[in-house]
Amino acid sequence: MVRFENVGMRYGLGPEVLRDISFNLLPGSFHFLTGPTGAGKSSLLKLLALSHRPSRGLITLFNKEVSSLARDDLPAMRRKIGVVYQDFRLLDHLSALDNVALPLKLAGAKNDQIYQHVAELLEWVGLGRQVDAKPPTLSGGEKQRVAIARAVINRPQLLIADEPTGSMDAEMGLRLMYLLQELNKIGTTVVVATHDLELISRFGNPVMYLKDGLLTTRAQDNPPPKESKDPA
Amino acid sequence: MIQFFGKSAELQLEKDVSTRYLPVVISAMIFLAALSIGGLFSLSKAISDWSETLTGNLTVEIAFDPTADLDKKVTDAVELLSATPGVAAARAIEQEETLKLLEPFLGKNAALGELPVPRLIEVIIAEDSAIDLAALNKKLVEAVPAARLDIHRPWLDKMVLLGRSIQLLAAGIMLLIGCVTVIIVIFAVRTGLIMHSEVIQVLHLIGARDNYIAEQFQNYFSRLSFLGALPGLIVAIIVMFIFNFLVSSLEASMLPPLSVGIEGAIALLLLPVLVALLTKYTVRQVVLKSLRRMM
């Protein structure tokens, strides 16, 4: 599903923010990605989300080597990936409903199908009454839930979430983690970047630990490590 | 019309302040382009009319001579010309008629009667006749020594050259207007791309193709161009009507009225469509090129 081989990444001519990253995520796996602030978690997620290219090494997604992909192949690949950004990245002028509907619209789904699914999902994440609300009028937690709904609406094969519960209360955070688990059970590969060690220990999934751009715990085929050191 | 061009649903380009004045600029460009087209087609028609009128038409001029019997000379020349094979008609132009031709240059109140004006004979050549004008001139000069055959050719050639030069200038102006319009549109699109880079990035990351994003830009900008072109064209047509009205009311026969003909009218009406298409193509190229630089 996802394979990184000696991947390095730098922004422009700056220093490498990721160094010699190698791991393999099996289809249907669920991993946490953690590490101190500035360790390179967001950069790793950018590579997974196909928003940036590595400066060296090989990345294989869905059995295709990313550097060999033509530009025209990228949209189809990205539609297989759902991303929940830490800063939500919602379109402020669109309603919650239209924000969540966007991936389906881009994939060419029909309007009647789109809006039925979207309304149901928004209901599930507790935003059934705010389908027409625009992001600036929503709280941080509500925006986060819209962002999660947008990421999962088209049943992605790979779901990446950057601090998905960061703006929510504990109950809603757990509820959303259960949603991610449900998606994982039906075959979606999930990677959740978080600082929340309690959350990591509660779910007990494999953990990738990043520090100074180096991956110290690799995701392997074998059972997940139980370690959960405080990154701070 | 807005529905025809489509709306930029995600990018909300309609709310951009940076493109608010683009229609005004396009309007000014179309105004100038429409006037250039008006001039271009009017000149083309005028040149064609001159050629048509003067090709089968000659003038015989008998120099003014206060001591000679000019009437007799005119009569002799008309007789000779009428008897010449290939000449359909030869008509002596009355003195008053000749003086009337000078009015636009000298004014109505000038003492035209006192001028040493030559006598003129209008000669119409029969269609498809192969008349030897040099031989006719020689024969005429022998019969009426003060007569001279004017075939208008040198004058017409100069006028045609002048007309063609002005046409070329008008075409150059059109080209310049096109280039300036393209440059203005490029700058506006680049500004739009910078302003909406975050939304574009989000759209890309959730699977939007470059074409999808480019379409939102090209539809919006071609709509601006089309809607901007309409007032420019309307004002230009009004200006042409006013010009024609002034030309006719001033009796200034030196200036031909603007008359574009059917081809010119079609070209004028197509201007907004053409500028919209030019904008659409330009925007598409600029946006796709810029997007290719993104991952």
Side-chain angles (χ1 to χ4, degrees):
Chain A
M1 167 63 75
V2 181
R3 179 184 287 275
F4 276 48
E5 293 169 73
N6 299 314
V7 170
M9 182 191 169
R10 65 173 81 235
Y11 294 98
L13 298 172
E16 274 200 323
V17 291
L18 292 174
R19 288 175 288 154
D20 301 318
I21 304 287
S22 296
F23 63 84
N24 180 29
L25 302 183
L26 293 178
S29 60
F30 191 127
H31 289 81
F32 284 107
L33 174 66
T34 192
T37 304
K41 295 191 298 296
S42 295
S43 299
L44 183 57
L45 295 186
K46 282 176 185 171
L47 292 177
L48 279 171
L50 294 178
S51 110
H52 285 65
R53 288 184 190 273
S55 37
R56 63 185 172 88
L58 291 178
I59 297 176
T60 309
L61 279 180
F62 315 117
N63 299 320
K64 285 182 181 166
E65 209 280 292
V66 170
S67 63
S68 68
L69 288 175
R71 183 166 180 79
D72 288 344
D73 298 330
L74 287 174
M77 290 283 277
R78 284 174 178 148
R79 286 174 198 167
K80 295 177 185 173
I81 305 168
V83 188
V84 183
Y85 297 97
Q86 198 171 2
D87 55 356
F88 322 126
R89 297 205 189 179
L90 300 173
L91 305 191
D92 285 347
H93 52 272
L94 297 184
S95 65
L97 190 82
D98 287 329
N99 264 291
V100 178
L102 204 48
L104 291 176
K105 195 177 154 191
L106 292 173
K110 288 180 184 170
N111 267 3
D112 50 344
Q113 292 172 344
I114 291 176
Y115 289 103
Q116 191 189 339
H117 286 303
V118 172
E120 281 170 13
L121 186 58
L122 282 172
E123 186 73 44
W124 200 92
V125 294
L127 292 173
R129 290 184 180 178
Q130 282 147 303
V131 289
D132 293 324
K134 294 191 173 169
T137 66
L138 298 173
S139 69
E142 288 167 338
K143 284 181 196 173
Q144 186 76 293
R145 280 179 271 162
V146 175
I148 289 169
R150 186 180 68 184
V152 303
I153 187 68
N154 59 355
R155 299 259 179 98
Q157 291 180 37
L158 173 64
L159 181 66
I160 304 158
D162 194 0
E163 298 286 354
T165 58
S167 311
M168 294 176 191
D169 57 55
E171 189 191 336
M172 184 51 74
L174 272 179
R175 204 170 158 192
L176 285 165
M177 283 306 295
Y178 289 134
L179 168 66
L180 299 184
Q181 260 194 340
E182 288 298 316
L183 285 163
N184 177 238
K185 280 178 189 167
I186 58 169
T188 305
T189 306
V190 180
V191 178
V192 176
T194 182
H195 281 111
D196 190 345
L197 298 175
E198 198 181 318
L199 191 77
I200 293 173
S201 59
R202 179 189 280 264
F203 284 85
N205 294 100
V207 179
M208 294 189 284
Y209 186 77
L210 261 178
K211 191 176 181 186
D212 298 330
L214 287 165
L215 193 63
T216 56
T217 310
R218 293 178 185 179
Q220 304 287 356
D221 296 355
N222 48 9
K226 290 290 179 188
E227 63 186 302
S228 60
K229 290 173 193 166
D230 188 346
Chain B
M1 191 55 70
I2 285 169
Q3 288 307 313
F4 173 75
F5 284 109
K7 271 194 157 185
S8 59
E10 287 82 35
L11 290 169
Q12 291 279 295
L13 296 164
E14 290 79 7
K15 290 182 180 169
D16 275 4
V17 184
S18 64
T19 53
R20 194 163 289 170
Y21 298 104
L22 186 67
V24 180
V25 179
I26 296 286
S27 193
M29 291 295 157
I30 291 299
F31 172 75
L32 296 173
L35 289 185
S36 295
I37 285 182
L40 200 80
F41 278 91
S42 294
L43 264 175
S44 183
K45 194 166 177 294
I47 290 169
S48 160
D49 287 349
W50 294 335
S51 300
E52 208 169 285
T53 310
L54 296 178
T55 301
N57 201 313
L58 307 173
T59 307
V60 170
E61 186 181 312
I62 297 166
F64 179 77
D65 183 355
T67 58
D69 183 357
L70 287 179
D71 287 337
K72 186 178 181 306
K73 286 188 175 185
V74 169
T75 311
D76 290 348
V78 168
E79 275 175 15
L80 185 140
L81 291 163
S82 301
T84 305
V87 172
R91 179 181 74 87
I93 297 173
E94 294 301 321
Q95 181 79 354
E96 282 177 11
E97 208 178 330
T98 309
L99 293 177
K100 214 169 178 66
L101 292 172
L102 294 171
E103 267 182 20
F105 305 94
L106 303 174
K108 277 184 183 178
N109 300 325
L112 296 171
E114 295 165 19
L115 291 174
V117 178
R119 300 295 299 270
L120 302 175
I121 300 164
E122 185 187 14
V123 183
I124 296 166
I125 307 294
E127 272 184 50
D128 301 327
S129 67
I131 192 165
D132 183 347
L133 295 175
L136 177 63
N137 190 34
K138 195 179 171 190
K139 202 167 138 189
L140 191 67
V141 172
E142 280 169 7
V144 184
R148 186 176 68 85
L149 187 66
D150 184 357
I151 58 172
H152 307 303
R153 199 69 246 175
W155 180 84
L156 183 64
D157 285 346
K158 280 178 191 168
M159 286 305 284
V160 169
L161 183 67
L162 176 69
R164 296 276 178 238
S165 305
I166 296 172
Q167 273 188 316
L168 209 64
L169 187 69
I173 291 170
M174 288 283 294
L175 191 70
L176 191 67
I177 289 168
C179 290
V180 171
T181 306
V182 166
I183 290 167
I184 290 167
V185 168
I186 288 173
F187 274 105
V189 174
R190 284 192 176 161
T191 307
L193 280 165
I194 293 166
M195 286 176 72
H196 296 277
S197 60
E198 281 186 24
V199 178
I200 291 169
Q201 202 180 15
V202 172
L203 289 175
H204 263 155
L205 290 175
I206 56 179
R209 292 189 176 278
D210 289 351
N211 273 345
Y212 182 85
I213 295 163
E215 269 171 23
Q216 297 203 14
F217 273 95
Q218 70 197 39
N219 289 345
Y220 171 65
F221 278 93
S222 52
R223 179 168 79 236
L224 283 189
S225 289
F226 185 81
L227 297 178
L230 289 179
L233 178 64
I234 291 166
V235 173
I237 290 171
I238 291 170
V239 166
M240 285 186 225
F241 273 110
I242 292 172
F243 178 80
N244 282 354
F245 172 75
L246 290 175
V247 166
S248 60
S249 66
L250 290 173
E251 294 178 2
S253 58
M254 280 298 285
L255 289 172
L258 285 169
S259 168
V260 294
I262 292 172
E263 298 93 340
I266 291 170
L268 283 175
L269 293 176
L270 280 177
L271 256 185
V273 179
L274 289 175
V275 79
L277 288 174
L278 178 69
T279 304
K280 195 164 193 160
Y281 177 77
T282 307
V283 171
R284 185 172 180 78
Q285 295 307 313
V286 173
V287 173
L288 288 178
K289 197 175 170 187
S290 300
L291 293 181
R292 275 195 285 272
R293 288 194 211 111
M294 299 180 184
M295 165 89 183

